Amino acid sequence: MLFSDVAKYYEKIESISSRLGMIDVLAEMLGNTDRKEIRSLIYMTQGVLSPPFEAVRIGIAEKLAESSISLATGFSLADVESHFRKSGDLGSTAEELVKKTRLKGIKSEKLSILDAFRLMSKIATTSGEGSKDLKIKTLAGILAASEPLEARYLVRFALGTLRLGAGDATILEALSKNSTGSRDSKVLLESAYNICGDLGKVAEVLAVHGMRGIENFKVELFSPIRPALAERMNTADEILKKMGGTCSAESKYDGLRAQVHVDKKASRVEIFSRNLERLTEMFPEIAKAALSEVDASSAILEGEAIAYDEVSGEFHAFQETIQRKRKHMVEEKSAELPLKLFSFDIMYLNGESYIEKPYSERRSRLESILHTKGSGKSRTIMLADRIITSSPKELELYFDKAIEHGLEGIVAKDLSARYVAGARKFSWIKMKRSYKSELSDSIDVVIIGYYLGKGARAEFGFGGVLASVYNKKRDMFETITKIGTGFTEAQMEYFRKLLEKTRLRSKPARVDSEMEPDFWVDPRYVVTVRADEITRSPMHTCGRSEGHGAGYALRFPRIIGEGIREDKSPEDSTSTKEIIEMFGAQKKTKVSA
Ligand code: ATP
């Protein structure tokens, strides 16, 4: 397919305000794509060059793109900058200026989607001395060959601001529609996606082998699995009831989730984050230990990486564990504050997938390959502590003990459940210290718009945000609260700068809102908030589709933490379903208090 056709589809998608309409256009575009092109098309539509764990990032800076536009069109840098100041979008600037050069009779060349993808990848992987000039020239070369509309999307893509608003679930439904005529196969496609974390791969397998290929999708080493997530509950009684009378309860360690892939024969280890990003270099001590402490030829383990003092038996605070996030600190910190991996699951062993096996079997295999008992030697990969119990009292006591040890709480696990990749299900239930105090838990919300504010705030150009949670069933972001207070001056500055860059002209198709902020933004940034209470509200759309009339809102919300949650994608925010459950739990607590 020519990139000029892709650009026309992108223009249509951008102008559509309904999610279903967006799926139709995406499905039509997929229908016109060759199987050789499908991976590139899917990645480009997501605004990326690779799945998250390969991390091929384009990240062209505005200044650099301006130079490319100038070089491609013959307009001076000052002209490009002045146009950009007026348009506010370098993509539109490129489109306009390329249009003017075309009017002078300079012709475009035909660029295919594969050409566009290859050239963008070339820009991303160019490094070293002179790479800046080479990047400018490569982008200029593409723009010189492109039509105005292509230039709009190529520049936005290069800047990382494509933002068509199609999330993973929307693309999965479009793939289903294109392949089977209905959106119903999304569920099957999603299970394939959940075990490989790569939409491009799922789309390619579907194009080449059809639905049979999707049904036969297998867990593979070095292809990260989307993590299983836990539901929440407040009491041991409830948990045991939900789990059929007996459960395993593990300590809930407050560190960083790590998925460790080991292939001993190849001496290769890779570690992935909760978001499937490759973090191997961040955990050198765990990567090394995976080769010597895991008694298997190959395995995928999951655990929590956390700083732990073996002598005192104390866990360090989360903030200390993540100190090494910046590259230059890794070596220093891994010597000073080595991390342990508290392993709690196994998804693959010696060439065989384990996700279908019950938790009890997975856990005993995990124990057998970690040999943690008896050696007396200090280990980096340890087993998550656990009990098996049918007694609410014992479960409460275990929870209290976890808190005493400075842990966050416990995660109860259904002994007979498979590993439910990529979903929040009752096969895991968390009970946290915070549930026992104020509103049951902190809530992760997605910013969908912001306000300018009045008075002194207007000076900053920032007066608060409109926030939403994710309704997985509808694949929509539903409003839950306006956050207008509690910002420091530094935070106001931080949010204004951040959000200004993702402003949109109109409400995104996957946002359901009755409120109108001063500016809509791309729903991409997650912040963690605490609130006093969840209340019913006629103003907000959260949970309204569940048929109870009014929606749900947060009372007295305030942002906690320094800024956005980089480890969470918008679809990882708290879900509408969780909000409704938290509202129910809150009512029960009030009644019993
Ligand atoms: P939270 O902010 O409560 O950690 P979350 O959305 O990141 O929530 P959940 O799946 O809801 O993730 O809660 C389980 C999280 O707890 C996991 O992501 C994992 O990082 C952490 N964890 C710590 N110990 C365990 C354990 N023994 N079993 C499972 N998860 C554990």
Side-chain angles (χ1 to χ4, degrees):
M1 183 158 51
L2 290 177
F3 191 73
S4 55
D5 292 328
V6 175
K8 281 182 205 138
Y9 281 119
Y10 285 177
E11 189 181 33
K12 258 198 209 171
I13 292 170
E14 249 195 319
S15 66
I16 284 174
S17 59
S18 95
R19 181 177 173 274
L20 291 181
M22 191 192 266
I23 291 172
D24 287 343
V25 180
L26 281 167
E28 190 188 316
M29 174 172 78
L30 291 165
N32 286 325
T33 316
D34 201 271
R35 52 174 75 165
K36 283 204 255 25
E37 304 166 328
I38 192 93
R39 240 184 214 251
S40 309
L41 179 74
I42 292 287
Y43 293 146
M44 279 200 95
T45 306
Q46 289 183 294
V48 295
L49 284 166
S50 73
F53 47 93
E54 279 168 18
V56 186
R57 295 213 174 90
I58 184 148
I60 289 274
E62 277 169 1
K63 282 275 163 263
L64 202 146
E66 284 172 353
S67 302
S68 298
I69 297 170
S70 162
L71 198 61
T73 60
F75 282 90
S76 71
L77 202 54
D79 284 342
V80 177
E81 280 168 2
S82 120
H83 195 289
F84 175 37
R85 265 197 302 276
K86 275 183 240 145
S87 74
D89 165 28
L90 214 41
S92 309
T93 294
E95 180 178 10
E96 281 304 308
L97 300 186
V98 166
K99 198 183 281 168
K100 288 188 179 157
T101 60
R102 297 288 168 264
L103 291 176
K104 287 188 207 151
I106 299 168
K107 285 226 169 62
S108 61
E109 290 160 31
K110 299 250 176 273
L111 194 69
S112 73
I113 172 81
L114 286 178
D115 295 333
F117 189 79
R118 185 176 46 78
L119 289 164
M120 288 293 169
S121 304
K122 185 176 160 199
I123 296 174
T125 50
T126 302
S127 63
E129 210 180 309
S131 62
K132 197 172 148 209
D133 278 350
L134 206 59
K135 283 179 194 237
I136 293 175
K137 281 189 192 136
T138 312
L139 183 59
I142 317 174
L143 296 176
S146 63
E147 290 171 13
L149 195 63
E150 291 177 282
R152 182 206 288 180
Y153 293 110
L154 288 167
V155 165
R156 285 191 194 161
F157 183 84
L159 291 170
T161 59
L162 185 66
R163 293 184 211 121
L164 295 173
D168 295 350
T170 325
I171 295 178
L172 284 167
E173 277 182 53
L175 282 168
S176 164
K177 177 117 199 246
N178 172 50
S179 157
T180 66
S182 106
R183 292 186 285 128
D184 299 347
S185 303
K186 180 203 159 198
V187 182
L188 254 178
L189 290 165
E190 194 170 26
S191 28
Y193 176 45
N194 284 340
I195 57 175
C196 75
D198 183 349
L199 266 188
K201 182 172 170 182
V202 172
E204 193 174 79
V205 168
L206 179 66
V208 177
H209 303 288
M211 280 319 266
R212 176 159 302 169
I214 298 296
E215 281 157 21
N216 291 329
F217 222 85
K218 292 271 178 315
V219 170
E220 271 177 36
L221 215 48
F222 306 117
S223 203
I225 299 163
R226 297 182 76 216
L229 301 173
E231 290 278 359
R232 329 172 148 69
M233 279 187 159
N234 281 342
T235 66
D237 260 338
E238 278 178 302
I239 292 176
L240 280 167
K241 238 179 241 149
K242 192 80 191 175
M243 296 230 157
T246 308
C247 74
S248 165
E250 296 177 354
S251 300
K252 186 174 193 300
Y253 303 92
D254 191 12
L256 279 175
R257 190 167 186 162
Q259 197 181 111
V260 184
H261 292 229
V262 200
D263 181 352
K264 278 224 187 124
K265 225 185 198 165
S267 272
R268 182 174 171 203
V269 177
E270 299 291 358
I271 302 177
F272 303 99
S273 71
R274 184 188 191 286
N275 261 355
L276 313 191
E277 279 172 23
R278 206 179 139 272
L279 292 183
T280 316
E281 282 76 26
M282 202 174 134
F283 302 115
E285 62 275 59
I286 295 176
K288 193 165 153 232
L291 287 172
S292 59
E293 295 182 12
V294 178
D295 189 12
S297 59
S298 61
I300 303 178
L301 308 182
E302 200 176 33
E304 196 82 354
I306 187 168
Y308 171 66
D309 184 333
E310 252 175 314
V311 180
S312 68
E314 265 172 40
F315 293 94
H316 290 260
F318 177 66
Q319 290 311 328
E320 287 177 58
T321 299
I322 60 162
Q323 268 177 13
R324 58 170 73 188
K325 265 213 149 157
R326 283 172 293 275
K327 243 190 200 152
H328 67 278
M329 293 182 78
V330 170
E331 221 171 280
E332 199 184 301
K333 285 286 161 200
S334 61
E336 187 190 312
L337 200 68
L339 299 185
K340 302 271 180 199
L341 181 81
F342 284 86
S343 189
F344 52 75
D345 222 316
I346 180 162
M347 291 93 107
Y348 180 91
L349 180 63
N350 299 334
E352 194 188 348
S353 167
Y354 263 56
I355 57 170
E356 303 79 9
K357 299 190 191 292
Y359 162 84
S360 49
E361 189 179 336
R362 298 201 308 277
R363 171 77 194 200
S364 51
R365 287 304 273 151
L366 188 63
E367 288 174 10
S368 74
I369 63 164
L370 290 181
H371 299 306
T372 50
K373 286 196 189 101
S375 74
K377 262 196 1 222
S378 162
R379 297 177 53 96
T380 294
I381 303 187
M382 308 179 68
L383 265 174
D385 183 63
R386 73 140 183 191
I387 56 163
I388 295 179
T389 183
S390 314
S391 147
K393 203 159 168 207
E394 194 181 8
L395 192 54
E396 282 291 347
L397 272 175
Y398 186 69
F399 172 82
D400 292 342
K401 220 173 82 194
I403 303 300
E404 243 169 65
H405 276 97
L407 296 166
E408 250 194 320
I410 56 168
V411 186
K413 303 200 167 164
D414 181 338
L415 293 163
S416 61
R418 56 171 284 157
Y419 185 90
V420 194
R424 198 177 289 284
K425 288 276 150 69
F426 280 101
S427 43
W428 288 12
I429 304 176
K430 56 183 172 181
M431 179 158 76
K432 284 163 66 171
R433 182 180 39 205
S434 53
Y435 301 0
K436 305 283 176 188
S437 51
E438 42 184 318
L439 167 63
S440 49
D441 202 355
S442 59
I443 291 166
D444 296 325
V445 295
V446 185
I447 300 176
I448 52 168
Y450 70 101
Y451 298 86
L452 287 176
K454 296 192 185 89
R457 279 157 174 263
E459 247 176 67
F460 285 98
F462 179 82
V465 297
L466 180 60
S468 65
V469 289
Y470 182 56
N471 186 325
K472 191 164 189 303
K473 216 159 60 186
R474 299 176 66 211
D475 183 28
M476 293 287 279
F477 294 95
E478 301 176 335
T479 69
I480 186 159
T481 195
K482 242 173 98 169
I483 311 171
T485 52
F487 294 98
T488 60
E489 281 187 13
Q491 269 180 321
M492 289 202 254
E493 179 73 8
Y494 166 84
F495 280 109
R496 182 186 56 78
K497 276 201 184 139
L498 187 80
L499 297 175
E500 234 171 32
K501 293 213 167 94
T502 64
R503 269 194 214 168
L504 299 171
R505 284 158 219 90
S506 56
K507 182 165 72 64
R510 289 195 302 145
V511 165
D512 184 6
S513 172
E514 284 194 4
M515 302 177 107
E516 182 89 20
D518 291 327
F519 297 104
W520 294 106
V521 295
D522 187 36
R524 78 146 76 161
Y525 294 122
V526 176
V527 287
T528 301
V529 299
R530 271 203 185 286
D532 282 5
E533 207 181 350
I534 298 175
T535 55
R536 302 308 305 267
S537 155
M539 313 275 289
H540 287 286
T541 53
C542 169
R544 210 190 268 180
S545 64
E546 309 299 313
H548 312 300
Y552 294 81
L554 302 183
R555 193 158 162 264
F556 298 133
R558 60 251 173 218
I559 292 181
I560 54 173
E562 281 168 34
I564 54 160
R565 291 283 306 259
E566 278 168 21
D567 59 329
K568 296 215 167 173
S569 72
E571 284 84 2
D572 281 334
S573 63
T574 304
S575 66
T576 300
K577 182 169 159 267
E578 288 175 87
I579 293 290
I580 298 173
E581 283 162 7
M582 287 162 91
F583 178 74
Q586 174 188 283
K587 262 200 326 209
K588 268 193 224 156
T589 320
K590 269 190 193 162
V591 171
S592 57

